[in-house]
Amino acid sequence: MTSVTDHVGADEAGQFAATVAAIAARHSQPDPWQPGAAASDATPSLEAALDEAGWPELGRDEALLPLAGPAGAALGRAFASLAPVDGLLGGALKVGTVARYASAGCVTAEPHAGAVLAGRARTADAAAYTDALGVAAVTVTDERRVADDEARVRFAAWAAASTGYLAGLSEEALRLALEHAQSRRAFGGPLSALEPVQQMLADAATLVDGLSLLAGDSPGLDALVHAGEAAEHAVGICMQVTGALGFTTEFPLQRAYRRSRSSHAWADAVAVAWDGGREAPS
Amino acid sequence: MVSLSEITRDADRFAAGLAARLAGEPDNRFQGMPSDGDSRAGYEAMGAEGWIGLHWPAELGGRGLDSLLTLAAEERFGYHWLPLSSYLLSVKTIGNALLDHASPELQERLLPEIAAGRLVFCQGFSEPEAGSDLAALRTSARRDGDRYVVSGHKTWTSSAQVADWIYLAVRTDPEASRPHRGVSVLVAEMGSPGIEVRPIETVGGGALNEVFLDEVEVPAEQLVGEENGGWRVLMSTLDHERVTSEKVGIVLRVLDDLEEAGAPTLELRRLRGEAEAARLLGRRAVALLAERRPAAAAAAMAKLSMSTLSKRTADAGTRLLGPRALVEDGPEAIGEGRLAGVTRSTAGSSIAGGASEIQRRVIARQGLGCAA
């Protein structure tokens, strides 16, 4: 038989993803977010452990691109911080006037017109935000264009890891919703036996499986733009299936709900910026 | 061995050339969805130039390649807007099912002729009172010595007006304890006495057909699989049908047309990303089918993702480009009318081969383990 998919690094990708999953499991943090909070889920101990495992290499060596999606998925499944993913860009991800995981003095990285502009945050005013992404309004100094080769590798790794993260996040959201649908009883049986619930879960599962397959296929910016919308849609279905329970802050699904929404917004904005636009997408 | 990139390149070249040769054929001028169009000349050329049965064994007229290569070639056929209905029925769906379920004698009789581009199949599944509920089918096949005598009424039958053979779902045991236990699959020549075809025109720009069967005699050796064991054969046939990779190519072509017409890059990226996901879902289903592993949920996901994407692409065209999106011909048409054609035809893509609601049911019950 002819091999048709590029299996270079497939085993390696699985092994590295397993390492990342184990690290994430050891460092999972309580969700610091509450409505109206300017919160960050950045977890320094997680980032240190990932650094030690070689995570930053993903943003430096383009041969490692096949590892980025599955590794991102491992973080997403754990509802872990996105800070390690943004770290692949070389600084706090900035679009327009806001940046994620940003603080005064930090290095920023702004995609623009096929390049990455590096800078330093002169000021960073933390913003109350829908998600614990450490979002701040920033002013930037010392802006410079990152060398094209470096920017290309960093951006590709970031896009692949971001897509993978959304795949993992959606997988876990679906797992939670399915578990709920199979255990919660209504109308004399499990929710999952009800046809309208099955129809919704099937839509979510199709989106989630598509994202999971993309994560393993060195996804690029097209995949990420799809992933933002698809994850939001899939997680939205999971919220509906989970009913009022999913709407509470004590049930973990709301983390995926908020993160898929924020990720959709950021993915679209990054794509518009990368394509050369300064406008926020309508 | 042939690589994926080589087969993709060769298929692209072949399909572009064939599309140019077929451009003058009037029958498909306003066929909105090329996968619903028919061209005998096109089908013959595909067979003659070795593009039918890439993954079939060489002794049955194929080339013995990986079925994922077939999938990649089919995507290019779609991209170049080849009229594909005969191919999709005879090769992708029925040919592959015959390879799984037909007797060696039947395979040797039919598959090389299909591979050569000389034999077109249509598929007689739906009936006036059996569509999504296929197990309700009533067309009867009564065993009479060394033959079956078939009577009934099939409908929505694509390509029956051009087909040489029909792949029939029939009821062989009307007394079976459950409806699907009394079903069998037969193949019959369309020239058999007692078969009548009546076309039904569609909004897509082509025709479906009614097929009337009146005491049609079918030799018993033309049974596919076991008598009364046809349900398994039908479900497996549908698995093949539901991997609609040619539509990935069709959508990618329309997206190229939208790009040329100035549609915003962000929306094109979104739909192209979605097309990548649909392609991978198709690949996964085909890999499972090649390994003869359960593929129903995977195939249903491939189909559901693709019909969703077709509609979203058509919707995006109208939303982004306005009234011009529906111009079907002439200088104002987007992509020589491809966008308008797909927009007009896409309603069929979530019905043919099993309605989307049926796909979702298969996914939930067979993929997610939800109770029936």
Side-chain angles (χ1 to χ4, degrees):
Chain A
M1 299 292 264
T2 310
S3 173
V4 296
T5 44
D6 181 7
H7 281 299
V8 175
D11 288 347
E12 214 184 331
Q15 281 166 18
F16 187 64
T19 302
V20 171
I23 292 170
R26 281 202 302 275
H27 294 270
S28 63
Q29 295 292 314
D31 182 12
W33 183 87
Q34 54 182 301
S40 169
D41 63 5
T43 315
S45 61
L46 169 71
E47 288 168 60
L50 287 173
D51 282 1
E52 205 166 304
W55 174 276
E57 286 305 307
L58 297 176
R60 295 184 194 128
D61 182 353
E62 70 179 324
L64 298 180
L65 182 62
L67 276 61
L75 290 182
R77 251 175 245 121
F79 292 171
S81 170
L82 258 176
V85 173
D86 285 359
L88 296 174
L89 269 181
L93 171 62
K94 176 176 175 287
V95 177
T97 57
V98 289
R100 316 202 288 211
Y101 301 109
S103 54
C106 77
V107 175
T108 58
E110 179 171 17
H112 177 64
V116 174
L117 307 176
R120 188 162 296 279
R122 191 165 54 81
T123 62
D125 296 323
Y129 203 71
T130 294
D131 195 7
L133 287 169
V135 171
V138 294
T139 55
V140 169
T141 59
D142 304 332
E143 240 184 8
R144 66 176 178 85
R145 188 184 161 105
V146 175
D148 282 354
D149 282 352
E150 183 190 341
R152 190 172 42 77
V153 175
R154 285 192 174 281
F155 189 74
W158 176 84
S162 298
T163 304
Y165 183 96
L166 287 167
L169 185 87
S170 311
E171 285 171 23
E172 180 62 11
L174 179 62
R175 193 190 66 74
L176 289 167
L178 255 178
E179 199 173 76
H180 176 77
Q182 281 162 347
S183 57
R184 171 93 164 84
R185 295 183 68 81
F187 304 104
L191 277 186
S192 62
L194 299 174
E195 186 91 30
V197 174
Q198 292 186 356
Q199 296 273 309
M200 286 195 289
L201 286 171
D203 275 327
T206 302
L207 290 167
V208 171
D209 278 18
L211 292 180
S212 303
L213 290 166
L214 280 172
D217 200 45
S218 300
L221 189 52
D222 289 355
L224 175 60
V225 170
H226 161 63
E229 186 189 49
E232 182 180 330
H233 185 184
V235 175
I237 290 171
C238 295
M239 290 288 285
Q240 181 70 12
V241 167
T242 315
L245 178 64
F247 197 58
T248 66
T249 52
E250 68 190 50
F251 193 71
L253 188 59
Q254 52 91 14
R255 295 179 71 170
Y257 171 64
R258 291 182 292 103
R259 183 128 303 172
S260 63
R261 293 210 150 223
S262 63
S263 293
H264 181 185
W266 283 82
D268 280 10
V270 166
V272 168
W274 183 258
D275 289 331
R278 282 280 189 182
E279 304 276 313
S282 59
Chain B
M1 270 306 204
V2 188
S3 73
L4 179 66
S5 56
E6 284 167 335
I7 212 84
T8 303
R9 183 200 59 208
D10 292 351
D12 196 67
R13 195 175 296 159
F14 162 75
L18 181 57
R21 275 186 275 160
L22 300 178
E25 289 193 343
D27 284 359
N28 292 306
R29 181 64 195 88
F30 293 106
Q31 172 55 261
M33 194 66 89
S35 47
D36 294 338
D38 269 306
S39 164
R40 194 82 203 196
Y43 183 72
E44 282 169 4
M46 293 172 87
E49 295 179 43
W51 288 100
I52 294 182
L54 294 184
H55 63 278
W56 294 357
E59 56 273 23
L60 293 171
R63 286 163 64 180
L65 302 175
D66 191 303
S67 51
L68 293 176
L69 298 181
T70 307
L71 208 66
E74 288 166 352
E75 187 179 313
R76 300 324 293 166
F77 299 162
Y79 183 87
H80 288 290
W81 229 252
L82 294 183
L84 282 178
S85 181
S86 294
Y87 172 90
L88 295 172
L89 287 164
S90 314
V91 184
K92 190 194 75 174
T93 305
I94 294 161
N96 283 333
L98 292 172
L99 204 56
D100 290 344
H101 301 289
S103 67
E105 295 74 27
L106 209 48
Q107 289 183 358
E108 281 161 27
R109 183 174 168 197
L110 297 172
L111 290 175
E113 284 297 293
I114 295 172
R118 287 191 291 264
L119 196 163
V120 171
F121 255 103
C122 64
Q123 176 173 286
F125 283 7
S126 287
E127 298 180 3
E129 292 178 60
S132 290
D133 182 13
L134 185 57
L137 68 91
R138 298 205 302 209
T139 295
S140 71
R142 172 170 46 84
R143 184 72 184 251
D144 179 16
D146 60 355
R147 58 197 57 227
Y148 291 93
V149 180
V150 181
S151 290
H153 179 185
K154 295 292 179 182
T155 193
W156 320 134
T157 313
S158 302
S159 297
Q161 77 280 18
V162 297
D164 308 295
W165 283 68
I166 186 167
Y167 184 84
L168 276 170
V170 295
R171 182 160 302 288
T172 36
D173 180 4
E175 311 295 326
S177 58
R178 295 183 61 193
H180 63 268
R181 291 202 180 125
V183 168
S184 302
V185 174
L186 294 173
V187 290
E189 294 188 64
M190 288 297 280
S192 310
I195 296 187
E196 190 195 330
V197 175
R198 200 170 77 200
I200 309 166
E201 293 189 356
T202 72
V203 71
L208 302 168
N209 301 275
E210 288 184 283
V211 179
F212 298 92
L213 302 124
D214 181 18
E215 299 282 303
V216 179
E217 296 191 358
V218 179
E221 64 264 25
Q222 289 173 206
L223 178 71
V224 179
E226 305 281 315
E227 186 175 280
N228 298 323
W231 190 252
R232 201 173 65 88
V233 178
L234 291 178
M235 293 304 103
S236 145
T237 308
L238 289 172
D239 289 347
H240 287 293
E241 182 175 11
R242 287 170 179 172
V243 182
T244 49
S245 300
E246 72 286 349
K247 287 206 171 66
V248 176
I250 291 170
V251 162
L252 291 176
R253 182 63 175 277
V254 172
L255 292 175
D256 284 355
D257 292 335
L258 288 175
E259 180 172 8
E260 203 179 307
T265 308
L266 180 67
E267 296 311 318
L268 296 171
R269 284 194 182 280
R270 195 186 313 289
L271 292 162
R272 286 191 174 121
E274 190 173 337
E276 287 175 23
R279 173 194 286 153
L280 294 174
L281 288 166
R283 276 194 200 163
R284 180 178 68 173
V286 159
L288 290 170
L289 284 166
E291 294 169 18
R292 312 266 166 119
R293 290 167 60 192
M301 282 190 181
K303 179 166 187 318
L304 180 61
S305 64
M306 202 52 245
S307 54
T308 304
L309 172 61
S310 301
K311 288 196 181 191
R312 280 165 51 81
T313 301
D315 292 349
T318 315
R319 180 162 43 82
L320 300 172
L321 301 176
R324 241 191 99 192
L326 303 183
V327 177
E328 303 220 357
D329 204 5
E332 287 300 304
I334 309 292
E336 301 170 310
R338 283 183 290 268
L339 171 62
V342 163
T343 303
R344 173 161 52 78
S345 308
T346 191
S349 63
S350 53
I351 298 168
S356 290
E357 290 69 25
I358 298 298
Q359 309 311 316
R360 294 187 183 102
R361 177 186 280 194
V362 169
I363 292 161
R365 295 182 182 176
Q366 299 188 47
L368 302 176
C370 295

